[in-house]
Amino acid sequence: MPSLISPAERDFILKGIECNIRADGRQRPDFREVILETGVVSQTSGSARVRIAGGTDILVSVKAEIGPVQVDPETGDGADKGQIICSVECAPSASQQFEGRGADDLNNELTQMMTRILSNTSATSSSASSAAGINLSKLCIIPGQQCWILYVDALVLDYGGNLMDAIFMGTRAAIFDTRIPKTEVQDLGDGQFEFEVLDDAEDTDIVDGREDMPICITLNKIGARHIVDASPLEELCTEAKLVVAVNRSGELCGLQKGQDGGIEPSLLLEMIQFGKTIGQSLIKQLDAMIKAEADSDLGKRQRGEPIHKLGFFAQ
Amino acid sequence: MSFTFHAPTPRETAESSKGRRGEDMDIDEEFAQIQAKASMKDMAVHVVTPGEVITSDTAFMRGHGTYIEQEKVLSSLAGVVERVNKLISVKPLHTRYTGEIGDVVVGRITEVAQKRWKVDVSARSDAILMLSSVNLPGGVQRRKQESDELQMRNFFMEGDLVVAEVQAFFSDGAYSLHTRSLKYGKLRNGSFISVSPGLVQRCKSHFHSLACGVDVILGLNGYIWVSAHVPQSLDEIDTEQVYSNKNKEDITPVDREAIARVANCIRALAQETMFINDTIISFAYEASLQHKLKDMTKREVMQSIAQEATLAVENMKG
């Protein structure tokens, strides 16, 4: 990850974007290729590895654990809800800058963004029991006591620009891959409950409402134009960054502006609109890819063939 | 707008590529392969990680990338074990640049210090460019003054890209660079690519003007500069302009496309771990013309370009 750029390079990139020829030959709305595999970490409830051709490499894991419900002391909310806890960590091997405490700010920024979009109940949903489309009530085991907590951990293994979009693609794929064990609750009377986790690998729950999870599109404003899927050098030229979170029905689920440049109101509306359209079509194709892999795994499982994941032996 | 999603593909192993090549070989090649098989045991790739025991046999000597602990030879790097007779060394998977005097390198200024600039050349430590090793504007023979020291940022600023030559080594192993020739200096009018340092071959010249109107500077440290062609005759260069940050005004979209195409060709070659020199870049460029520019970031297209370029080079050699 270069942290510096020369004025001549900046000028070259800016004028290139102006005439719609980016440094790697793409046009302004072009994404790079995405390489995706789910189920790469067997110790997790669900996982995915997303790579963007040109560098970015992200591993996302979802771990379902049982924990106490978190009740808001003021409103009494949350007694019948599970939780989603997000965290992003940039590995020092991804870039020299991430060594020591160098990645702290970026980790914070990415974690906050994920938390805001995925675990904030008030931000996105029409019904209060869901966060980012995911039905949290279904994650509750014993109301007021125990629930499932989904820990979503993203690890940035390599940096090649556009981390945010890749993290959200990986999260969506990992959540789709997630299987939560079924539980059986017994009523012992006097408000006492006991539950048992069934360890049948065949009979598990999926994360309810996963299709409605939003995805992020990062738009980088460079000069008077904006581009998607910026490369590291393009990110250094970015005056203002707009992250648009959108779900499959095209609803705006979150918006975050980064960096110190300004965006004119008319351009802002155009960028949001553009992010929404591109996000919807991204979700459609991402889901098709995830489904194809899940179907092929299912077919193999039914035929009794071993499912072979490439993981880190892949190219 | 369109998106491409891919499932990962398995890595090609040494054996699978051998098998593929074996489809149409003649007797001579077959003989060579039988011979190769006989020594296969030595050739089998042995990948090690830092701290891994390579051998506990005390008969072996320790080479680069290894160390001895409790009479065992351990690896100090992540890489591939190489054995020459009794000498064991580890060749790292990722290398940094190790330079020699006279190498042409492309670097990025990271720091302006007392009478010197620090330059990132993808080596183990930053290289150093002394104020006394650059040509100052207004004549080659000018004496350095105190005022020059105060306005060093007017020459090179943090982030600037320079092409320079390795002049000497310091006692701590850092490289000392110089730009005392009109072909060296600040880089403009183009874009920057970084590849693994091992891929750039040492050639007679590292400054190339390709037929497609694109100039390429192949830094031996793996940093490559691809830029619009600037006619260069040494008399014409305005010494005042050497440190300018302004790109030339007339870079046309056609130029930009050519630059992007050449840059993508180099990326394709680097991705397929092929040596990079001006010949193979020209062949790769020709092979790329049948693809749309925006498709050149796709993996299949990159592979086919790299393959066609290698074939063309092999044909040329006869």
Side-chain angles (χ1 to χ4, degrees), chain B residues 2 34 39 56 72 95 121 124 137 145 177 209 213 245 291 296 300:
Chain B
S2 73
I34 292 167
S39 59
S56 45
K72 286 174 188 153
T95 48
V121 288
R124 284 183 180 78
Q145 292 159 349
L177 309 177
S209 283
N245 282 323
H291 301 284
M296 283 182 71
E300 291 163 21

Side-chain angles (χ1 to χ4, degrees), chain B residues 2 6 12 27 59 61 89 112-113 124 165 170 172 174 190-191 193 206 213 224 251 259 292 301 314:
Chain B
S2 73
H6 266 306
E12 197 173 86
I27 295 166
M61 287 191 304
S89 50
V112 182
R124 284 183 180 78
E165 189 181 294
F170 286 105
D172 62 351
S191 60
I193 314 164
H206 288 266
I224 294 173
I251 305 178
I259 292 170
K292 268 198 217 142
V301 176
E314 277 171 18

Side-chain angles (χ1 to χ4, degrees), chain B:
Chain B
M1 69 198 93
S2 73
F3 305 98
T4 339
F5 287 98
H6 266 306
T9 49
R11 248 177 233 280
E12 197 173 86
T13 59
E15 286 185 18
S16 69
S17 71
K18 261 215 177 80
R20 232 185 21 196
R21 212 172 272 171
E23 281 161 20
D24 50 9
M25 58 186 173
D26 52 30
I27 295 166
D28 281 0
E29 272 178 282
E30 211 166 347
F31 181 68
Q33 210 176 37
I34 292 167
Q35 276 196 320
K37 249 185 204 153
S39 59
M40 242 340 232
K41 215 177 125 200
D42 297 333
M43 283 170 62
V45 179
H46 181 193
V47 181
V48 287
T49 50
E52 195 174 323
V53 176
I54 303 170
T55 176
S56 45
D57 193 338
T58 47
F60 289 104
M61 287 191 304
R62 145 194 110 86
H64 286 297
T66 63
Y67 63 99
I68 290 180
E69 209 174 80
Q70 293 167 351
E71 299 193 334
K72 286 174 188 153
V73 182
L74 285 82
S75 170
S76 65
L77 302 165
V80 180
V81 176
E82 287 200 339
R83 189 165 75 85
V84 181
N85 297 327
K86 293 258 169 230
L87 182 72
I88 287 189
S89 50
V90 178
K91 212 174 184 184
L93 296 170
H94 282 278
T95 48
R96 292 211 157 255
Y97 166 65
T98 31
E100 280 170 36
I101 291 172
D103 281 358
V104 175
V105 294
V106 172
R108 195 185 286 279
I109 307 283
T110 56
E111 210 180 308
V112 182
Q114 275 288 318
K115 291 186 196 168
R116 72 193 64 200
W117 292 274
K118 293 212 171 143
V119 191
D120 163 37
V121 288
S122 132
R124 284 183 180 78
S125 59
D126 278 351
I128 283 162
L129 178 64
M130 299 291 290
L131 180 59
S132 57
S133 331
V134 301
N135 276 334
L136 294 181
V140 186
Q141 297 300 327
R142 191 161 75 85
R143 267 180 72 103
K144 299 293 166 317
Q145 292 159 349
E146 209 171 313
S147 63
D148 291 327
E149 228 180 290
L150 295 173
Q151 51 160 348
M152 278 173 66
R153 274 202 181 80
N154 293 349
F155 308 137
F156 295 124
M157 216 170 52
E158 291 92 343
D160 280 352
L161 280 169
V162 290
V163 54
E165 189 181 294
V166 178
Q167 186 178 32
F169 303 128
F170 286 105
S171 53
D172 62 351
Y175 305 127
S176 166
L177 309 177
H178 81 92
T179 59
R180 300 212 80 146
S181 157
L182 287 175
K183 53 181 185 174
Y184 303 137
K186 201 176 263 186
L187 294 168
R188 282 178 293 271
N189 308 319
S191 60
F192 171 79
I193 314 164
S194 153
V195 302
S196 173
L199 294 177
V200 181
Q201 278 180 318
R202 224 171 235 109
C203 294
K204 233 179 229 165
S205 169
H206 288 266
F207 296 81
H208 301 287
S209 283
L210 304 179
C212 48
V214 172
D215 285 359
V216 181
I217 300 172
L218 301 171
L220 272 164
N221 56 341
Y223 287 178
I224 294 173
W225 184 249
V226 186
S227 62
H229 180 62
V230 181
Q232 210 166 39
S233 87
L234 295 181
D235 317 322
E236 277 174 34
I237 294 179
D238 185 356
T239 48
E240 299 292 326
Q241 286 301 303
V242 172
Y243 295 105
S244 151
N245 282 323
K246 284 238 155 55
N247 288 329
K248 63 174 191 169
E249 290 294 323
D250 56 340
I251 305 178
T252 60
V254 181
D255 291 337
R256 280 181 196 280
E257 278 183 14
I259 292 170
R261 205 171 265 278
V262 170
N264 281 348
C265 287
I266 294 170
R267 283 193 196 101
L269 293 168
Q271 189 194 269
E272 299 297 306
T273 48
M274 290 183 185
F275 276 124
I276 291 164
N277 55 39
D278 60 321
T279 336
I280 199 160
I281 294 174
S282 310
F283 282 127
Y285 182 82
E286 277 164 36
S288 80
L289 288 174
Q290 54 184 299
H291 301 284
K292 268 198 217 142
L293 177 61
K294 58 185 261 186
D295 290 339
M296 283 182 71
T297 47
K298 297 202 166 105
R299 196 172 44 174
E300 291 163 21
V301 176
M302 285 172 114
Q303 276 169 347
S304 89
I305 288 171
Q307 270 167 13
E308 271 184 52
T310 352
L311 273 180
V313 170
E314 277 171 18
N315 284 343
M316 190 184 67
K317 281 181 187 158

Side-chain angles (χ1 to χ4, degrees), chain A residues 230-257:
Chain A
S231 69
L233 282 178
E234 284 169 339
E235 280 188 354
L236 284 177
C237 298
T238 301
E239 292 157 32
K241 188 169 79 172
L242 190 71
V243 185
V244 181
V246 62
N247 66 11
R248 62 171 172 163
S249 38
E251 287 167 327
L252 190 63
C253 303
L255 202 58
Q256 179 165 297
K257 194 214 149 253

Side-chain angles (χ1 to χ4, degrees), chain A residues 12-24:
Chain A
F12 187 84
I13 290 174
L14 200 138
K15 289 194 176 136
I17 287 167
E18 195 62 43
C19 58
N20 213 0
I21 303 164
R22 285 159 72 176
D24 52 5

